[in-house]
Amino acid sequence: MPLMLASPAIPPGGEIPAQYTCDGADISPALSWSGVPEGTRSLVLVVEDPDAPSGVFRHWVVFDIPPAARGLDAGYSASRPSAALHQARNDFGKAGYGGPCPPAGAAHHYHFRLLALSRPTLDLQAPASALDVLRAAQPYVIQQAEFVGTYHR
């Protein structure tokens, strides 16, 4: 079975509800996954907007997630970090989740990606940036899953 990533709040290709954006509570949506491949030692979750005016904008990166985990509850934010998770500094400059906040106009596409890694920890020191995490993880990716949600203002 391939690695699968989903959210009960966001249908694949569908609109991200405002509560998960800067126009609402700006908290992360619940996420679930299945099909973690054999040999996975940790997971990385990435939320990116490739439609941002300045290029790819990273809204959230969580790393060193145990391979036995099957999802994340809703409610993470930059103002509510978690000691149980390692969260990188997003492109807003804060550790944790920063929801969609595009300029007015066309819809932006938010890519939620889950990476299965062959390494148990990335051994990064705080405050690691989202890009630091992605660069450190890249050589160890076994498999990845993705879904896309949209948001516009």
Side-chain angles (χ1 to χ4, degrees), residues 50-79:
D51 302 321
S54 60
V56 175
F57 192 92
R58 291 164 188 92
H59 288 262
W60 196 25
V61 174
V62 183
F63 61 102
D64 293 348
I65 302 169
R70 292 296 175 249
L72 294 173
D73 294 332
Y76 294 100
S77 69
S79 62

Side-chain angles (χ1 to χ4, degrees), residues 103-146:
H108 283 220
H109 298 81
Y110 296 87
H111 295 249
F112 291 74
R113 286 189 300 142
L114 185 68
L115 310 174
L117 305 184
S118 61
R119 184 175 172 97
T121 179
L122 294 178
D123 292 324
L124 293 171
Q125 302 298 316
S129 73
L131 192 53
D132 292 338
V133 172
L134 294 174
R135 285 181 178 147
Q138 194 56 49
Y140 306 102
V141 175
I142 297 170
Q143 198 175 121
Q144 67 179 358
E146 175 179 277

Side-chain angles (χ1 to χ4, degrees), residues 39-105:
T40 299
R41 308 272 311 276
S42 69
L43 300 162
V44 172
L45 176 71
V46 181
V47 180
E48 297 175 312
D49 173 9
D51 302 321
S54 60
V56 175
F57 192 92
R58 291 164 188 92
H59 288 262
W60 196 25
V61 174
V62 183
F63 61 102
D64 293 348
I65 302 169
R70 292 296 175 249
L72 294 173
D73 294 332
Y76 294 100
S77 69
S79 62
R80 188 195 133 208
S82 170
L85 299 174
H86 295 103
Q87 299 184 81
R89 188 172 18 88
N90 60 36
D91 287 349
F92 291 113
K94 299 177 180 177
Y97 179 84
C101 199

